[in-house]
Amino acid sequence: MNDPHLAPVSESDLPQFAALDLGSNSFHLLIARVDNHSLQPLVRFKQKVRLAAGLKQGKLSNKAMQRGLEALAICAQKLQGFRPDQVRVVATHTLREAENSDIFLAKAASILPFPIEIISGHEEARLIYAGVAQTTAGEGKRLVIDIGGGSTEFAGGSDLQTQQLVSLSMGCISYTEGYFKKGAISAKRFDKAVVATKRELESVAKGLRKYTQTQIYGTSGTIKAIANWVQHKTQSVLPVISLQHLYECRAELLQFKSIQQLQIPGLDEERAPIVAGGLAILIGLMEELNIEELEAHDAALREGVLYELAEQVLYHDDVRQRTIESIAIRYSIDREQATRVQQTVLDLYEQVAVEWGLLDPEWRLLLSWAALLHEVGLHINFSSRQRHAGYILQHTDMPGFNKEQQKLLAALVRHFRKKVFIEDIPPLQLYHQFDVVRVLALLRLAVLFNTDRQTSQLLLKTQASKDVLLLTLTPQGRANPTLLADLASEAYHQLRLGITLRFE
C-alpha cells in the first residue's frame, strides 16, 4: 500500500484506515478504505464488553478491565500491519469517569500498539454528528441523538457543522442498574427513570428544541435495537421510531416482572438485559424535547472518527487547526507577536528534534499551537496572563482535541513564563513527561527571545546534547543586557525542568 500521505491515490491502491471505539457497552472496530472522500467499509467488528457495568464507586473493576483487555487483544490482531497514522482509538464515558482508567490504559498499551485517546463528551457528540452528517444525503439542520452505555450525546447542527453539543451522564447500562435494580421491572420504576431523564435535560432542552422540527437521527446500539423491535412489531421496512411506538414497547416490556424473563420478538437477546434503561431514556427525551419521531441511523462515532482521520492524513484538513484559529480570533490574539514566537519555537524545534528524540510530527503541531495561543490570558490580565491562559485552554471546548492533548496545551501555556511548577503538569498517558518538559523549555525560550515584540536577530543557533541546551547568540544578542539578564534568570527555571541552559 502506498504512503497515505501522498494524495491523490489511484483507485487500484486505495488507502485504508481504522477507527476503534471503546464504548461503555461494546468495543467497535471499523476498517475502511477511502475513495474520493467516501468510506468503503471492509471490516466491522463488535465485542460486547460492558465496561460501564464494572464501574463501581468511580473505579473500574478488575473483571471489567479484563473483558476490555481481551477485546483489545482481538482488535490488535485485526489491526496487524496498520501504521499509527492509519488508526485512531477513542474511549468514551466509562474511561472518562473511571478514577483508575490510567491502570487500564497502561495494561492496554502492552496489548494494543496504538494510543488510546479519552475524548470529552462534547467531542464525542461532535464526532457522532460528523459520522451521521457524512453518511446522509440531506442538508440543513439536523439533531443527532446517541444513547450509550453510560452517557447520552446530543448534537444539533446544520449541514456538516455542529452548533450545539450536549453530553449527559445517563446511559442504558447505568439507568438499567440504577432504576431496575436486580432486574426488577415495574411501571413505578420505569416512570422514575423517565422523570430522571427529563430532569437531566431541563437545563439544555430549550436549546435542543431548536433542532426538533427538522431531521432527527438516533444512532448506536440502544436506538438501533429499539428500531428493530418496532420494525418487527409494525412489519415496517423503515427504521423510524415514533413516540407512540415507544409507548407500545413500554407496555410490552411491563408484561414481564424481571429483565431475566424478557423474551420479546424483534428484540436482540444481547440488548435485552439493558433495554429497560435505554427505552426509558428515549421516551423521556422525546417527551421533553417534543419529538414525535426519529430515524435510526447506522453511522455513529467510529464513522466520524474515520472520516476525520482520513481527511487529516490524505488532505491535511485538521479540525484542530480550525479550533486553534477560532480561539485566536475569539481572544483577539496579537497575530504578529504570536507568529514571531511561533517561528522562533519551530526553528528551535528543528535544531534539537533529532537529538532530543522529538521526531513525531505531533510535537511540531503542539508547539506551533501553544505559541499561537500563549497570550490568550492577556485578554483577562497582563501580570498573570500565563495562569489565565492555562485556565482558558483547560476549560474551553476544543473540537478535534482529545482530553490529553487539551491538558498538554493548557500546561504548556500555563508555564510559558515565570516560575515552573512541575507538580502542576498533569501525568499523561499519551506523552512522556520527559518529552513534555523539553518542549516546554523550547516554548519558554521562544517567548523570551521575543519579549521586545519586535522582529530582531538575537539567536544564531541552538545545540542540544542530552539535557544541555547551548545557545549561540548573535552580536546583537550579546550586546543586549536585558536579554542576557533574562537568559541568566531563565537558566534557573530550566534547571527545574532538568535542563542545563548555556549561552555564549
Side-chain angles (χ1 to χ4, degrees), residues 305-324:
V305 170
L306 209 54
Y307 268 106
E308 288 203 349
L309 176 61
E311 291 292 304
Q312 180 180 331
V313 172
L314 293 177
Y315 308 105
H316 309 292
D317 182 11
D318 194 333
V319 66
R320 295 176 300 174
Q321 184 63 44
R322 295 197 293 274
T323 295
I324 295 296

Side-chain angles (χ1 to χ4, degrees), residues 290-346:
N290 301 324
I291 297 173
E292 287 300 319
E293 66 176 30
L294 58 78
E295 178 183 340
H297 190 68
D298 285 334
L301 174 61
R302 52 201 169 277
E303 282 80 7
V305 170
L306 209 54
Y307 268 106
E308 288 203 349
L309 176 61
E311 291 292 304
Q312 180 180 331
V313 172
L314 293 177
Y315 308 105
H316 309 292
D317 182 11
D318 194 333
V319 66
R320 295 176 300 174
Q321 184 63 44
R322 295 197 293 274
T323 295
I324 295 296
E325 294 292 340
S326 175
I327 295 174
I329 293 171
R330 189 188 319 161
Y331 288 94
S332 303
I333 292 297
D334 180 345
R335 293 304 290 257
E336 290 187 5
Q337 174 64 4
T339 299
R340 281 190 287 266
V341 174
Q342 198 175 50
Q343 290 173 343
T344 302
V345 80
L346 293 181

Side-chain angles (χ1 to χ4, degrees), residues 229-485:
W229 182 4
V230 168
Q231 284 178 282
H232 187 275
K233 288 170 62 67
T234 62
Q235 297 299 302
S236 171
V237 296
L238 299 175
V240 174
I241 304 171
S242 71
L243 195 52
Q244 182 57 41
H245 290 149
L246 295 182
Y247 293 151
E248 294 170 6
C249 289
R250 176 185 181 275
E252 190 170 1
L253 185 75
L254 291 179
Q255 293 177 9
F256 299 87
K257 297 300 182 183
S258 73
I259 290 174
Q260 291 77 15
Q261 298 173 349
L262 288 183
Q263 288 186 339
I264 298 177
L267 179 61
D268 186 348
E269 290 184 5
E270 287 192 358
R271 184 62 52 171
I274 53 176
V275 75
L279 181 61
I281 291 171
L282 189 54
I283 288 177
L285 69 85
M286 287 182 71
E287 288 182 345
E288 183 69 15
L289 300 179
N290 301 324
I291 297 173
E292 287 300 319
E293 66 176 30
L294 58 78
E295 178 183 340
H297 190 68
D298 285 334
L301 174 61
R302 52 201 169 277
E303 282 80 7
V305 170
L306 209 54
Y307 268 106
E308 288 203 349
L309 176 61
E311 291 292 304
Q312 180 180 331
V313 172
L314 293 177
Y315 308 105
H316 309 292
D317 182 11
D318 194 333
V319 66
R320 295 176 300 174
Q321 184 63 44
R322 295 197 293 274
T323 295
I324 295 296
E325 294 292 340
S326 175
I327 295 174
I329 293 171
R330 189 188 319 161
Y331 288 94
S332 303
I333 292 297
D334 180 345
R335 293 304 290 257
E336 290 187 5
Q337 174 64 4
T339 299
R340 281 190 287 266
V341 174
Q342 198 175 50
Q343 290 173 343
T344 302
V345 80
L346 293 181
D347 186 49
L348 289 168
Y349 168 78
E350 295 296 340
Q351 294 180 71
V352 305
V354 174
E355 181 64 34
W356 273 1
L358 301 172
L359 300 178
D360 189 334
E362 190 80 358
W363 286 119
R364 195 178 195 282
L365 286 172
L366 289 166
L367 273 172
S368 176
W369 294 332
L372 183 60
L373 297 184
H374 77 281
E375 287 194 325
V376 293
L378 195 60
H379 190 76
I380 300 174
N381 177 271
F382 177 80
S383 61
S384 299
R385 57 192 182 276
Q386 73 280 0
R387 288 195 295 108
H388 295 303
Y391 183 86
I392 289 170
L393 290 192
Q394 184 176 348
H395 295 284
T396 196
D397 282 335
M398 297 186 69
F401 286 85
N402 61 52
K403 293 185 73 174
E404 290 219 341
Q405 290 167 342
Q406 185 166 355
K407 284 181 180 180
L408 175 54
L409 272 180
L412 291 176
V413 300
R414 165 64 181 87
H415 296 95
F416 80 82
R417 64 189 289 267
K418 290 193 173 181
K419 292 182 179 180
V420 177
F421 298 95
I422 295 292
E423 62 275 12
D424 288 348
I425 298 177
L428 302 169
Q429 293 291 325
L430 300 181
Y431 306 97
H432 295 296
Q433 189 173 44
F434 189 69
D435 296 327
V436 172
V437 296
R438 288 182 168 189
V439 297
L440 174 57
L442 299 180
L443 178 65
R444 289 177 62 90
L445 287 172
V447 173
L448 186 151
F449 277 103
N450 289 280
T451 52
D452 59 0
R453 308 182 82 85
Q454 297 178 20
T455 301
S456 54
Q457 297 295 323
L458 303 175
L459 180 62
L460 183 62
K461 67 177 181 178
T462 306
Q463 296 171 283
S465 177
K466 294 184 179 179
D467 294 325
V468 178
L469 266 183
L470 176 61
L471 309 179
T472 302
L473 307 180
T474 64
Q476 182 182 356
R478 290 195 296 271
N480 187 324
T482 302
L483 173 65
L484 296 177

